[in-house]
Amino acid sequence: MVSGELVLTQDGPIATIVITNPAKRNAMTAAMWRALPGLLDGPAKDPSVRVLVLAGAGGTFCAGADITDAAAVARAGDASFAVEAELALAGFPKPTIARVDGFCVGGGCQLAVACDLRFAADDSRFGVTPAKLGIVYPPSTTRRLAALIGPARAKLLLYTGELIDAAAAERMGLVDAVVPAAELADSVLRVASTIAARSGLTQFAAKQVLAGGEPPEQDEAELAEGLAAFVERRAPRFGWS
């Protein structure tokens, strides 16, 4: 697997995309960036998928963009395919979780920040490193990072390009939870399963509003099922998608 690939699988209501380029610590090649929006279309439109998990193969999330591609893109002044991939992930209509272990650097951090939630192994490392290469970070990417952790912390990461550990990432709000590495997959599975059991309508509405949009109208069937399940003391069987 010289050039790397993105591998999509599904287990019940949970779809998982695995960044797979082990020879380069799962660095994203130009082809992988370009493939991501199309790969997201299937689970976005599939009503059986309720949650998307983004992960890396072999104990590393993603060490960034492939350096050869990154240099060529910077010289050409066109990072549109990486931004389009990021926007597609951020605009995915269902909840998304980044399952981060190992290195989450540069383009890897860009992808993790585009997810709704980030769970990290306690030995993971994070960095936003364009200053080490003299690369201009895309405006939308910079603003998304600042919206998540605040302008001052975003400047600290961008100005220094230094790596931080998982505990520091959690303190600054870059990740939502840090767990022992051996427990990461199970922890993410538990959260994803809980999300999958809740109302997709509520989740979609929240995602729309928090992104600056308008929520959909109330679906009476979804509300009726939620109320019936509450009264009958059973798990709801939500059908909205």
Side-chain angles (χ1 to χ4, degrees):
M1 197 175 303
V2 176
S3 60
E5 64 177 345
L6 302 173
V7 180
L8 172 64
T9 60
Q10 183 177 347
D11 183 7
I14 302 169
T16 301
I17 292 177
V18 180
I19 304 167
T20 308
N21 190 5
K24 296 188 177 181
R25 294 192 301 183
N26 296 334
M28 290 282 290
T29 65
M32 292 165 73
W33 286 111
R34 291 190 176 100
L36 183 57
L39 193 63
L40 291 168
D41 283 344
K45 296 174 182 175
D46 186 344
S48 70
V49 174
R50 306 299 299 274
V51 185
L52 176 73
V53 175
L54 182 66
T60 294
F61 183 72
C62 175
D66 183 279
I67 191 65
T68 304
D69 288 336
V73 168
R75 291 190 182 97
D78 180 16
S80 60
F81 58 78
V83 173
E84 287 168 6
E86 175 193 352
L87 292 174
L89 182 57
F92 190 78
K94 304 168 188 181
T96 55
I97 303 173
R99 190 182 76 206
V100 179
D101 50 3
F103 286 94
C104 179
V105 180
C109 207
Q110 182 179 359
L111 290 171
V113 169
C115 291
D116 296 320
L117 301 170
R118 287 150 294 281
F119 284 71
D122 56 2
D123 59 359
S124 56
R125 305 273 286 174
F126 296 79
V128 183
T129 54
K132 291 184 176 181
L133 299 171
I135 291 174
V136 176
Y137 218 41
S140 61
T141 305
T142 302
R143 295 186 186 111
R144 191 183 310 281
L145 177 66
L148 179 64
I149 64 175
R153 292 185 179 93
K155 289 174 184 177
L156 179 63
L157 293 180
L158 283 162
Y159 290 177
T160 67
E162 294 297 318
L163 301 189
I164 60 173
D165 62 21
E170 184 178 31
R171 285 195 300 271
M172 68 171 52
L174 188 60
V175 300
D176 300 291
V178 174
V179 300
E183 300 174 13
L184 179 62
D186 287 342
S187 295
V188 170
L189 178 60
R190 283 194 297 271
V191 173
S193 297
T194 298
I195 291 172
R198 306 301 189 229
S199 169
L201 172 64
T202 302
Q203 293 159 357
F204 178 74
K207 193 158 184 172
Q208 286 290 99
V209 171
L210 291 172
E214 294 296 322
E217 294 183 0
Q218 178 64 57
D219 184 276
E220 290 302 320
E222 192 86 342
L223 176 59
E225 170 58 19
L227 293 174
F230 181 81
V231 171
E232 297 166 14
R233 298 185 179 182
R234 59 171 173 82
R237 296 182 290 272
F238 292 117
W240 189 92
S241 61

